[in-house]
Amino acid sequence: MLELGGLVFSSPWLLAALAALPALWWLLRVTPPSPRLVSFPPMRLLLALRPNEETPARTPWWLILLRMLLAALVILALAHPLLNPGAKLNGSGPLILVIDDGWASAADWQIRQQKIGEMLDQAERENRPVRVLTTAPAAPKEPIRASELMRAAAARQITASLQPKPWPADRAGALAAAQDIAVEGSAHVVWLANGVGDADAAALAARLQSFGSLIVIEQPAAGRARLLHAPKSEGDTLNVPVLRVPGPQTQSVWVRAVSEDGRLIAREQTEFAAGEGAATAILSLPGEVRNDVARIEIEGGSNAGEVFLVDERWRRRPVGIVSGDISEAEQPLLSSIYYLERALRPFAEVRRGTVANLFNRELAVVILADVGKLLDSENAALEEWMAKGGVTLRFAGPKLASGHDDLIPVRLRGGGRELGGAMSWSEPARLLPFEESSPFSGLETPRDVRIQRQVLAEPALDLNQKTWARLSDGTPLVTAEKRGRGWLILIHTTANTDWSNLPISGLFVDMLRRIVGLSAGVVSDDQSAVLPPLQTMDGFGRLGAPSSEAISISAGAFADARPAPSTPPGYYGREAGRRALNL
């Protein structure tokens, strides 16, 4: 390779042809021989005519110069001149390209591809072999491996097909692969890093530097990827934490909530303070608007970390309340509706009315607070609705104790049972710990919760299977029965404090949250369910058909699942109750 200032010739041996230009000059100046004259009298008349075309005695100098200039330019072109080709590779060994191709690399992927192309062109000019090492796992249960030594043209085909993965880079796996690399001579190592550090980054850098010279290329802090954390619901707002690599400058980002069809629902700006790596965007999503949100994203984002998929866990489910409490008008603060609304509002949208009025809109749960006998039309409407996946929750009370219909999960005894009354030797009963088969399993039963009165269930062979909660004497407090795809649930005490202090405990809120979660379209607590991949996300944050390598995830293991080749981020389950796996 020959360098002349900023001009480089990759085939300098062809410049030797310039030495032949003097011979070319001599050839172009050769005068052709004079024409031979033959006496032919009949042609004298023709000799007197002026010819239309004259041939000079020798070639003009300007034509010779032009021809020599053209010949010199052809020789220079064949020598492959390059203007400012870049710095030469260090050392005499191969070029080792280490490429971070996890989710954080998608933000500047085009720039990375351009830089990779420049490095491979330089290796091709210097006739250096190339080895490629990517740091994100490419296939399930396969360790990261470096490629064999290859020509730059073959490496160009491999790197051209690379795409950012929707999961993090595995620096520990890349370090293990780098330990197996043997280098002859001093290599030129280029690490295209994503700018996001981890515990294994320093060890990987030290290993790469042992091969020869190491150059780390990464974006400035302001241009690196950002990450959306799980939002937190507070009333009618969603607080969305946004993370970045801390930088010396302030940075503003717009966070927006988008529906399934791409409609903009909410959009708010947040700002990172100088030197800070976290900020919070507060999205106002009142009422039913929240249920339309399908994804939260950073405006202008281009990677999977800047998209957060929303499932039923972040939606407010509509719950209708029908109350037969006679104290509602006279003493509203002591009515069942007051306690139910206070317990439901943090996670559900509460509506009030009759059964007929409530069914004019979409519902997830219907709560009947001490409603006696229902009309036949109301009973039929609830039965049909539960068959499709709805949940009906009934609370006991004086009206239910005195007379009830068939819309109950178990047969009840007439009247009620009073504990700790003036004519009773017994004391108010406490709750037993919830059994593993109960949807309330895992909730703690406070020691200060006392049940003073309840309606009793008639003994039956299937009573144990229908019991979700028991009192300390073994009598059922919560019973339930499957109705089609939905549930019919009965709490054998009141929704206010007339019969117990359960409604003023934190357990009451947690129990209602679990019951609302059983309705159709909401992720249930069935830990044995298998959730197949429904839609998966690529490294640029785009949803599409499930990856061919994606596998199903059990509901019990979903909370511990992490984005990987076999479990890419996306939606899992069924359309009616899908769950989102996010970075």
Side-chain angles (χ1 to χ4, degrees):
M1 186 176 292
L2 177 65
E3 297 185 15
L4 297 174
L7 188 64
V8 173
F9 294 94
S10 59
S11 301
W13 58 273
L14 287 172
L15 297 177
L18 293 175
L21 288 179
L24 182 62
W25 173 277
W26 180 80
L27 288 174
L28 292 175
R29 292 185 69 252
V30 170
T31 303
S34 300
R36 184 180 179 182
L37 298 178
V38 178
S39 178
F40 187 47
M43 301 296 292
R44 287 186 177 181
L45 293 175
L46 297 177
L47 294 175
L49 298 176
R50 290 183 59 83
N52 293 330
E53 184 176 346
E54 295 182 355
T55 302
R58 61 182 65 239
T59 305
W61 68 269
W62 57 269
L63 183 58
I64 295 175
L65 185 62
L66 179 61
R67 290 173 177 174
M68 292 188 65
L69 180 61
L70 289 175
L73 291 177
V74 169
I75 294 172
L76 293 174
L78 292 175
H80 295 289
L82 300 171
L83 185 62
N84 297 324
K88 294 181 62 177
L89 302 181
N90 297 324
S92 58
L95 168 65
I96 300 179
L97 282 177
V98 182
I99 304 170
D100 281 348
D101 57 339
W103 67 269
S105 302
D108 57 349
W109 190 251
Q110 291 184 347
I111 300 176
R112 289 170 175 273
Q113 289 282 32
Q114 180 181 352
K115 191 62 181 178
I116 292 171
E118 293 175 359
M119 300 304 301
L120 292 177
D121 290 342
Q122 188 68 25
E124 190 172 34
R125 289 191 289 268
E126 299 183 20
N127 198 24
R128 297 274 195 99
V130 180
R131 194 187 295 269
V132 179
L133 172 61
T134 57
T135 62
K141 298 182 180 180
E142 288 190 9
I144 297 175
R145 293 187 178 92
S147 69
E148 300 296 331
L149 288 175
M150 66 187 77
R151 299 181 63 87
R156 189 177 289 109
Q157 294 180 356
I158 294 177
T159 57
S161 62
L162 288 178
Q163 291 292 327
K165 313 296 192 302
W167 46 81
D170 182 6
R171 303 271 174 73
L175 175 59
Q179 299 290 356
D180 298 333
I181 296 177
V183 176
E184 294 183 3
S186 178
H188 183 89
V189 186
V190 179
W191 182 8
L192 286 90
N194 57 23
V196 180
D198 57 28
D200 300 300
L204 177 59
R207 175 58 182 168
L208 296 178
Q209 196 167 13
S210 68
F211 298 143
S213 64
L214 171 63
I215 298 176
V216 180
I217 302 175
E218 60 186 10
Q219 283 281 77
R224 296 175 192 171
R226 295 152 299 194
L227 179 67
L228 288 180
H229 210 274
K232 298 179 180 179
S233 177
E234 293 187 5
D236 290 337
T237 63
L238 275 181
N239 297 340
V240 185
V242 188
L243 308 180
R244 70 161 185 172
V245 176
Q249 298 178 345
T250 61
Q251 184 182 17
S252 297
V253 295
W254 285 91
V255 179
R256 61 185 185 181
V258 183
S259 66
E260 193 81 39
D261 56 1
R263 176 169 45 89
L264 181 64
I265 297 177
R267 180 175 180 263
E268 294 293 339
Q269 187 181 32
T270 186
E271 185 173 279
F272 293 98
E276 295 294 329
T280 301
I282 301 176
L283 300 178
S284 178
L285 299 167
E288 296 178 342
V289 175
R290 178 178 300 186
N291 291 350
D292 294 334
V293 177
R295 56 193 279 157
I296 300 172
E297 59 188 17
I298 295 178
E299 196 168 273
S302 58
N303 65 77
E306 295 176 348
V307 175
F308 191 91
L309 301 178
V310 176
D311 58 20
E312 304 293 342
R313 290 171 289 177
W314 283 274
R315 292 178 177 171
R316 296 173 65 88
R317 309 310 303 170
V319 177
I321 301 177
V322 181
S323 176
D325 196 338
I326 59 175
S327 64
E328 180 182 348
E330 301 174 357
Q331 296 175 309
L333 298 183
L334 300 179
S335 67
S336 301
I337 286 184
Y338 174 77
Y339 291 97
L340 289 170
E341 285 187 340
R342 293 290 297 270
L344 291 167
R345 289 221 176 265
F347 58 88
E349 179 190 348
V350 181
R351 303 169 185 170
R352 297 167 56 179
T354 63
V355 173
N357 292 337
L358 290 175
F359 279 147
N360 290 331
R361 301 168 69 186
E362 202 174 60
L363 285 175
V365 178
V366 170
I367 298 179
L368 306 177
D370 191 23
V371 175
K373 290 186 177 181
L374 293 169
L375 300 176
D376 292 340
S377 58
E378 294 175 333
N379 200 331
L382 286 169
E383 289 283 4
E384 181 181 357
W385 175 70
M386 285 188 291
K388 298 178 181 179
V391 173
T392 298
L393 172 62
R394 300 194 74 168
F395 282 89
K399 290 186 177 180
L400 187 67
S402 60
H404 52 80
D405 46 45
D406 294 332
L407 197 66
I408 50 175
V410 294
R411 292 181 59 189
L412 300 178
R413 296 182 184 180
R417 178 195 186 198
E418 188 171 357
L419 302 171
M423 302 299 294
S424 173
W425 292 96
S426 62
E427 297 181 354
R430 289 166 30 183
L431 284 171
L432 286 178
F434 298 113
E435 299 175 0
E436 292 184 0
S437 60
S438 170
F440 307 135
S441 176
L443 299 180
E444 294 187 5
T445 54
R447 298 181 61 84
D448 56 348
V449 170
R450 295 291 188 272
I451 308 299
Q452 299 171 342
R453 191 173 177 184
Q454 66 172 148
V455 291
L456 289 173
E458 287 280 3
L461 294 176
D462 59 350
L463 182 59
N464 287 334
Q465 287 77 17
K466 293 182 178 181
T467 300
W468 287 2
R470 300 177 185 274
L471 296 181
S472 55
D473 59 0
T475 56
L477 180 67
V478 181
T479 55
E481 183 181 40
K482 191 74 174 176
R483 295 288 180 96
R485 292 177 52 205
W487 287 94
L488 174 60
I489 306 169
L490 173 63
I491 296 182
H492 294 230
T493 189
T494 57
N496 58 15
T497 56
D498 287 349
W499 288 12
S500 75
N501 62 352
L502 176 64
I504 59 175
S505 68
L507 177 62
F508 189 67
V509 179
D510 293 334
M511 291 173 65
L512 290 178
R513 190 189 299 270
R514 294 283 182 95
I515 291 173
V516 171
L518 294 174
S519 59
V522 180
V523 179
S524 71
D525 293 328
D526 184 4
Q527 302 299 301
S528 62
V530 176
L531 308 176
L534 187 63
Q535 287 180 301
T536 56
M537 191 186 301
D538 64 8
F540 297 105
R542 300 172 300 199
L543 274 176
S547 167
S548 59
E549 297 174 340
I551 62 174
S552 300
I553 307 174
S554 66
F558 198 89
D560 298 325
R562 295 293 178 267
S566 60
T567 55
Y571 285 117
Y572 290 77
R574 308 293 179 186
E575 285 288 354
R578 61 186 184 180
R579 297 188 68 172
L581 178 62
N582 290 286
L583 275 163

